Amino acid sequence: MSEKCDQNCEGCSAGNSKNTEEKPDFSAQPHELSNIKNVIGVLSGKGGVGKSIVTSMLAVAMKNMGYNTAILDADITGPSIPKIFGLQGRARGDAKGMFPVKSITGIDVMSVNLLLENVTDPVVVRGPLIAGTAKQFWTDVIWGDVDFMFIDMPPGTGDVPLTVFQSVAVDGIIVVTSPQELVSMIVSKAVKMAEMMNIPVIGLIENMSYFRCPDNGKDYKIFGESHIDEVAEKHNLRVLAKLPVDPKLSEASDRGTIEFYDNEWIEPVAKILEEMGEMR
Ligand code: ADP
């Protein structure tokens, strides 16, 4: 900061004023025993497009590349991460804070479903409490050393995910879409939200893009033509991956065996995240 700076940015042309691109810091501090290097928020326009499964696959890919990886399940009213990883146990805590539950391969997970006595209990909470719970997962959980944390955001591009973004120091956003959605509108909203927070959109992932017929190897666009490339170009964004509808994937997610699902599509995305992490 300039020695002459009087903190009054109006009319000031200095490059270090509040009017510049300096990232506004609304975020709470993570737990003192957490050291989290890269935080990636995974967003979608609505529920059911595969946000949780994409979050899980990204975490598995980064773990397979040798990184300490974690998932903060901020989808408080629809927490599906523990099921996708087949996590049975309950999260425990001590006087210092709560501990995440480790998956088979060592991915650390915290989710409301790891705190409930009965996982079929509905989580009936309103917006501010959703954001408050996600924030607590950030501030009160002892994550330890994490290279890549993925946040499974509450669905939508409204107030609730925005409040979560404001509480947690997210470094980049990945937007998951599907061909049957109003992709243009969702991406515009996500981009605006990211701009408000001064967080970069890393790129878009189109899920359920096509179905590859095992009998003839042909791809069928069962949910209609995709508009993802045009939308990405309009916003100057990257399409990171197009994932097929794969019955083996839904089976892995239902059985809690996502860590053993052979995933060739998400690996290039993991490489991009690795490069991003190295540049920071
Ligand atoms: P969201 O988090 O967006 O609500 P999920 O990740 O929970 O969505 O996915 C919703 C359902 O769709 C899950 O049962 C999941 O297994 C299934 N699913 C998602 N993507 C695919 C896919 N590409 N192929 C097959 N099933 C999928």
Side-chain angles (χ1 to χ4, degrees):
M1 193 187 291
S2 156
E3 279 177 16
K4 288 181 192 156
C5 178
D6 60 1
Q7 298 283 302
N8 179 9
C9 298
E10 240 164 78
C12 174
S13 60
N16 53 11
S17 78
K18 286 188 279 196
N19 298 332
T20 65
E21 289 187 356
E22 200 173 292
K23 188 170 170 173
D25 189 10
F26 301 109
S27 58
Q29 286 298 314
H31 194 283
E32 58 181 0
L33 296 175
S34 299
N35 175 21
I36 306 165
K37 290 191 186 134
N38 299 284
V39 183
I40 289 136
V42 184
L43 197 67
S44 69
K46 59 171 185 172
V49 301
K51 174 178 55 62
S52 303
I53 204 101
V54 168
T55 305
S56 305
M57 287 192 285
L58 286 168
V60 170
M62 293 318 289
K63 183 72 194 170
N64 287 344
M65 286 165 79
Y67 291 105
N68 289 338
T69 307
I71 303 179
L72 188 162
D73 187 0
D75 194 348
I76 306 295
T77 53
S80 42
I81 299 291
K83 184 168 189 298
I84 294 173
F85 282 86
L87 302 179
Q88 308 285 346
R90 302 234 343 246
R92 287 176 301 132
D94 64 14
K96 286 190 179 144
M98 290 186 285
F99 295 97
V101 172
K102 269 199 197 303
S103 73
I104 295 177
T105 62
I107 297 171
D108 285 313
V109 177
M110 180 50 85
S111 167
V112 159
N113 259 10
L114 297 171
L115 301 173
L116 296 175
E117 198 136 319
N118 185 351
V119 291
T120 55
D121 287 347
V123 181
V124 187
V125 286
R126 292 184 197 279
L129 199 54
I130 296 176
T133 307
K135 185 175 181 175
Q136 260 187 298
F137 286 171
W138 175 253
T139 55
D140 299 0
V141 172
I142 300 171
W143 292 101
D145 287 329
V146 177
D147 298 314
F148 287 91
M149 172 181 277
F150 294 92
I151 304 191
D152 189 6
M153 297 297 290
T157 46
D159 199 35
V160 177
L162 181 65
T163 315
V164 174
F165 275 124
Q166 286 175 330
S167 329
V168 175
V170 177
D171 298 304
I173 296 174
I174 290 179
V175 184
V176 182
T177 66
S178 71
Q180 68 268 54
E181 284 182 295
L182 297 167
V183 172
S184 173
M185 189 185 76
I186 287 156
V187 173
S188 299
K189 281 183 195 256
V191 166
K192 278 202 191 113
M193 185 191 276
E195 275 169 5
M196 280 166 74
M197 300 302 305
N198 219 344
I199 303 168
V201 177
I202 300 165
L204 313 176
I205 294 183
E206 185 176 70
N207 189 27
M208 307 191 204
S209 193
Y210 57 93
F211 173 71
R212 183 159 294 169
C213 176
D215 298 333
N216 61 14
K218 279 194 194 163
D219 291 346
Y220 293 93
K221 304 208 165 167
I222 52 180
F223 291 122
E225 276 307 312
S226 159
H227 300 286
I228 195 85
D229 291 315
E230 301 134 58
V231 173
E233 200 182 328
K234 185 174 152 205
H235 292 282
N236 205 12
L237 294 172
R238 276 200 272 201
V239 178
L240 301 170
K242 292 181 183 176
L243 310 178
V245 176
D246 183 3
K248 286 203 188 101
L249 178 56
S250 44
E251 195 184 317
S253 118
D254 284 348
R255 290 195 173 170
T257 55
I258 194 70
E259 286 158 290
F260 307 104
Y261 173 72
D262 188 14
N263 184 352
E264 62 197 84
W265 304 280
I266 218 85
E267 274 160 25
V269 187
K271 293 253 157 57
I272 292 170
L273 297 182
E274 180 177 51
E275 280 165 26
M276 204 188 86
E278 280 166 4
M279 275 158 50
R280 293 187 68 243

